[in-house]
Amino acid sequence: GQSPQVPVDIVMEPDQKVGAALAGSGMVAWTSPENAIQSALGLGHSPGDNLQFIANIEGKCYYYAAGEDTEPDGVVYRVMKKKAAGDGKVGENNGEQQGLVSGMPSGEGEGGDVERGIEAGVARQSSRRQVHWPQQPTCREMCEIRIDYLGQT
């Protein structure tokens, strides 16, 4: 059970005032903030743009614009577009997404298994290197490449 990848940061905001409720509020069962974002995307909302807050009210997903209209009677989360990678707080999801990017230069396995993608990327790099034997990278380059991959799991 991987949680769905969502391109946003989700921060709990107790006692947060929110704007108007968006279409689809209260229709979808709440399972997690990530799933609430997934269902908001499915409804055509744009997290971090028109969708600024999500709330879990009596086990249902509610979606809100920014504003000061109301203070939902439930757990409110602020939704922000992801900052550039390397923010630290969002390490896990970022690492996975970078893994997808660096592990699969040819875009194979779209949205597939991250680990496998990284391995494929590593394997492809090392097999490519052995072909051009004279241009073996220095030990330091190898180490840096390795650290890159390790840092992304």
Side-chain angles (χ1 to χ4, degrees):
Q2 289 265 317
S3 66
Q5 292 294 309
V6 291
V8 293
D9 290 329
I10 303 167
V11 183
M12 194 183 289
E13 296 274 10
D15 307 323
Q16 172 67 48
K17 284 195 165 48
V18 298
L22 303 176
S25 289
M27 284 163 44
V28 181
W30 179 282
T31 53
S32 72
E34 290 77 18
N35 283 89
I37 294 292
Q38 288 295 102
S39 49
L41 288 167
L43 289 161
H45 299 315
S46 176
D49 289 328
N50 75 322
L51 175 62
Q52 292 282 332
F53 299 100
I54 55 175
N56 174 2
I57 303 175
E58 295 176 357
K60 296 271 197 288
C61 301
Y62 283 76
Y63 317 108
Y64 295 99
E68 300 271 304
D69 298 10
T70 169
E71 195 176 299
D73 186 19
V75 184
V76 178
Y77 298 82
R78 181 187 298 274
V79 179
M80 295 172 290
K81 289 198 166 135
K82 254 202 197 317
K83 297 185 200 65
D87 185 54
K89 289 202 300 294
V90 291
E92 210 174 42
N93 283 355
N94 266 347
E96 275 191 280
Q97 284 174 342
Q98 284 167 1
L100 284 171
V101 172
S102 59
M104 298 187 239
S106 62
E108 68 197 26
E110 194 60 22
D113 179 39
V114 177
E115 292 296 322
R116 216 175 38 228
I118 291 176
E119 276 164 24
V122 174
R124 201 171 18 253
Q125 283 200 336
S126 43
S127 64
R128 197 166 60 225
R129 277 202 194 108
Q130 279 148 22
V131 178
H132 309 295
W133 194 248
Q135 298 143 319
Q136 274 290 77
T138 62
C139 174
R140 219 192 65 180
E141 284 175 315
M142 286 292 276
C143 293
E144 281 173 2
I145 288 162
R146 237 180 114 162
I147 285 164
D148 264 342
Y149 279 108
L150 292 175
Q152 286 167 357
T153 46

